[in-house]
Amino acid sequence: MARYTKITTGHMGQLVEWPEVLTEGKTLEECRVMLKDATHEMILAYHDLGKPLPPGSDLIREAIDLREDVALAAFADNRIITFDRNTALSHEDTWE
């Protein structure tokens, strides 16, 4: 769960389950977007350090989904680059 606080420069957001994830934005919406981004960056940092993630909130799950989407997009881009129509199987060949 995220907690948002009105501050003089806008809004501050923090994950209750993961207090290290903290950010600020001029508007509440900007703060929400930046909190999702900060969560994503913390997931990457924890992964690089081999640290376990704290038990989940919706923002943590959304950030993990975003990370998976980025990985799948990179995989698809690589497949497009390396695809060779001459060696690819047809639908009929695949399902014989």
Side-chain angles (χ1 to χ4, degrees):
M1 175 172 56
R3 178 182 300 135
Y4 298 95
T5 306
K6 180 77 172 129
I7 58 176
T8 57
T9 58
H11 291 83
M12 180 180 70
Q14 182 177 28
L15 286 186
V16 174
E17 298 91 343
W18 203 356
E20 295 90 348
V21 180
L22 179 71
T23 191
E24 295 181 16
K26 291 181 181 176
T27 66
L28 182 57
E29 184 57 33
E30 180 181 278
C31 189
R32 285 183 176 134
V33 169
M34 292 180 70
L35 191 59
K36 286 181 184 181
D37 184 59
T39 304
H40 180 254
E41 292 301 318
M42 284 293 279
I43 288 171
L44 293 176
Y46 268 50
H47 181 300
D48 289 347
L49 296 171
K51 294 173 72 172
L53 297 178
S57 78
D58 290 338
L59 278 174
I60 294 172
R61 282 190 285 280
E62 286 178 26
I64 290 171
D65 290 344
L66 176 63
R67 184 173 172 211
E68 290 173 350
D69 290 347
V70 169
L72 287 172
F75 177 78
D77 288 345
N78 187 52
R79 293 282 296 179
I80 290 169
I81 293 168
T82 61
F83 180 73
D84 180 1
R85 188 170 298 281
N86 296 323
T87 60
L89 295 174
S90 69
H91 180 78
E92 291 78 22
D93 292 337
T94 304
W95 296 101
E96 282 188 338

